[in-house]
Amino acid sequence: MEDRPPPTPERGRRTPAKLQMLVVFTLPVLLFVAAIALVATGSYQDAAKSRPRPGPLALPTVNAPDAASQPCATLLARLPATLTTGPRPMRDTPIAAPAPPGTAAWVGEDRPEPAVLRCGVPRPAELGPTSELYQIDSVSWLVNSTPDLDNFVAVDRQVYVAFSVPRGLGSGPVQRISDTISQTLPVHR
């Protein structure tokens, strides 16, 4: 075994001068670029959230035998332009051609899922003498929810009106639609 003297500052492990210079000058530049990238990415995402949905909303056609009826035309003409859903309302949006008759839709700045109204749909198969109905602003609704949507069907008017709302929006949208229905469509007796 060979005796080695203890390391001294001159003989210890040292970082080469070029590497030290590279770290000293490159690290702040890299941190600055990373900070700018994070700020730019955050700003881009915020701007993307506040942009309206590009183009008209495509809706599939469904069976709606009374969609072209006068009661549906009257209801569609009186629907609100916005639905209250919290700090950012949902706004009505155009529907892509060929738009199914009797339809309206609203989208939110911070929600990709639309709220969709379809007037003139057929009588719900689930509607029976013992069906549980919810009364909202004098409109009787049959409710069928899924993990993603709250589906309402107004069952006490001249025509059946279906209204689907993304889960988690609260009661504001259905209350506003109920108010419009109660002012527009007479109760079917």
Side-chain angles (χ1 to χ4, degrees), residues 84-87 90 110-111 113 145-150 152 165-173:
T84 304
T85 60
M90 296 182 90
D110 57 344
R111 301 186 74 74
E113 310 89 8
S145 294
T146 67
D148 299 327
L149 292 173
D150 287 325
F152 300 86
V165 185
R167 296 288 312 254
L169 289 185
S171 61

Side-chain angles (χ1 to χ4, degrees), residues 52-59 81 91-100 103-107 114-116:
R53 178 185 292 269
L57 178 67
L59 288 179
R91 300 190 189 293
D92 60 350
T93 189
I95 299 172
T103 58
W106 297 261
V107 294
V116 176

Side-chain angles (χ1 to χ4, degrees), residues 159-175:
V159 291
Y160 294 103
V161 180
F163 184 53
S164 297
V165 185
R167 296 288 312 254
L169 289 185
S171 61
V174 72
Q175 286 177 339

Side-chain angles (χ1 to χ4, degrees), residues 136-182:
I136 302 172
D137 290 337
S138 76
V139 176
S140 294
W141 294 95
L142 179 66
V143 181
N144 178 14
S145 294
T146 67
D148 299 327
L149 292 173
D150 287 325
N151 300 299
F152 300 86
V153 180
V155 296
D156 63 343
R157 303 296 153 153
Q158 296 169 294
V159 291
Y160 294 103
V161 180
F163 184 53
S164 297
V165 185
R167 296 288 312 254
L169 289 185
S171 61
V174 72
Q175 286 177 339
R176 185 73 190 270
I177 296 299
S178 290
D179 185 46
T180 304
I181 288 173
S182 68

Side-chain angles (χ1 to χ4, degrees), residues 18-34:
K18 287 183 181 179
L19 183 58
Q20 284 179 344
M21 293 296 284
L22 183 65
V23 169
V24 166
F25 290 109
T26 306
L27 187 58
V29 171
L30 289 174
L31 289 174
F32 178 74
V33 169

Side-chain angles (χ1 to χ4, degrees), residues 69-79 119 158 180 183-186:
S69 68
Q70 185 57 47
C72 285
T74 302
L75 176 63
L76 291 175
R78 295 207 180 145
L79 289 173
C119 186
Q158 296 169 294
T180 304
Q183 293 173 9
T184 307
L185 300 176

